[in-house]
Amino acid sequence: MSCPRACCPGPPATSRTSTVYACGLRSSEARLLRPGDVDVSAGLLQVRDAKGGKDRQVPVSGPLRERLGGYRARMAGQPGWEWFFPGGSAGQPLALGNVYKNFRRFLWQAGISHGGRGHGPRVHDLRHTFAVNNLRTWFAAGEDVSALLPVLQAYMGHSSIGDTAYYLRLTAESYPQIAARVHREYGSIVPPVIGGPADGD
């Protein structure tokens, strides 16, 4: 899976948002990581008790591994470091309210307008972007996407291949030049869009 080189360590909220984008995590999965869940040496995140009560390991790319290593080195000396991305209250993870507040601040700093509640952009859209960008990269490289789709499913922690196949439609809509190939190779796999994976998928 790909990791954008733009992801950087910085403060906990910035690092958490970068990890969501670079690894396709659900926001809660990044928010609830413990220091012991981030193995910088092996380049693995241990996601525990995710949606459906499932655990999974998520490999991280070299650039993100280096950034998380730098972040860990700065945080390791902090007293009471119980959560990899700590919140404002001692012993607590980053709160959901702060996650959304920080994300809105990042949008404002980047000059991106926010459409208001329910209209986004949302933190969860970073997970969608991760999926679409990986599919686009695989198509562009001529990879066997039908073989890689289950890999993406496992990586993102989807319980159904249908949740993952939804992103094929998004990829085709975003990149019309591959729409015909998607239809030819996966036509019956990708249902008409009447929504997408629910928040958290």
Side-chain angles (χ1 to χ4, degrees):
M1 302 295 146
S2 61
C3 166
R5 291 188 177 272
C7 60
C8 57
T14 307
S15 298
R16 188 202 58 80
T17 302
S18 299
T19 304
V20 167
Y21 177 43
C23 297
L25 299 181
R26 299 175 178 95
S27 182
S28 61
E29 293 172 348
R31 192 175 66 87
L32 299 178
L33 286 170
R34 300 272 190 174
D37 295 332
V38 181
D39 187 338
V40 175
S41 298
L44 287 172
L45 303 181
Q46 179 69 47
V47 177
R48 302 182 189 279
D49 197 25
K51 189 172 182 180
K54 296 179 179 178
D55 296 348
R56 73 182 189 282
Q57 289 187 327
V58 177
V60 300
S61 68
L64 180 60
R65 181 174 168 180
E66 292 176 13
R67 288 159 172 78
L68 290 177
Y71 172 82
R72 172 185 280 283
R74 289 197 301 278
M75 293 298 296
Q78 302 295 321
W81 186 40
E82 298 180 37
W83 301 93
F84 197 75
F85 300 119
S89 302
Q92 296 298 315
L94 198 62
L96 280 175
N98 284 338
V99 169
Y100 298 133
K101 189 183 300 181
N102 287 322
F103 185 65
R104 291 286 291 272
R105 177 166 52 86
F106 298 154
L107 291 176
W108 180 81
Q109 290 172 345
I112 300 172
S113 61
H114 192 276
R117 186 174 179 82
H119 298 286
R122 309 164 304 158
V123 177
H124 197 67
D125 293 333
L126 298 174
R127 179 169 158 89
H128 296 324
T129 301
F130 168 86
V132 170
N133 281 347
N134 273 285
L135 287 167
R136 177 185 57 82
T137 299
W138 290 338
F139 273 114
E143 300 283 357
D144 183 352
V145 178
S146 61
L148 290 170
L149 204 60
V151 174
L152 186 61
Q153 176 191 359
Y155 194 95
M156 297 184 72
H158 285 152
S159 59
S160 163
I161 193 69
D163 287 339
T164 313
Y166 165 77
Y167 293 109
L168 287 171
R169 177 72 64 178
L170 289 184
T171 305
E173 291 175 353
S174 300
Y175 303 94
Q177 68 273 21
I178 65 171
R181 182 175 170 189
V182 170
H183 180 73
R184 183 175 67 249
E185 297 186 16
Y186 308 101
S188 61
I189 295 178
V190 186
V193 176
I194 46 178
D199 283 0
D201 279 352

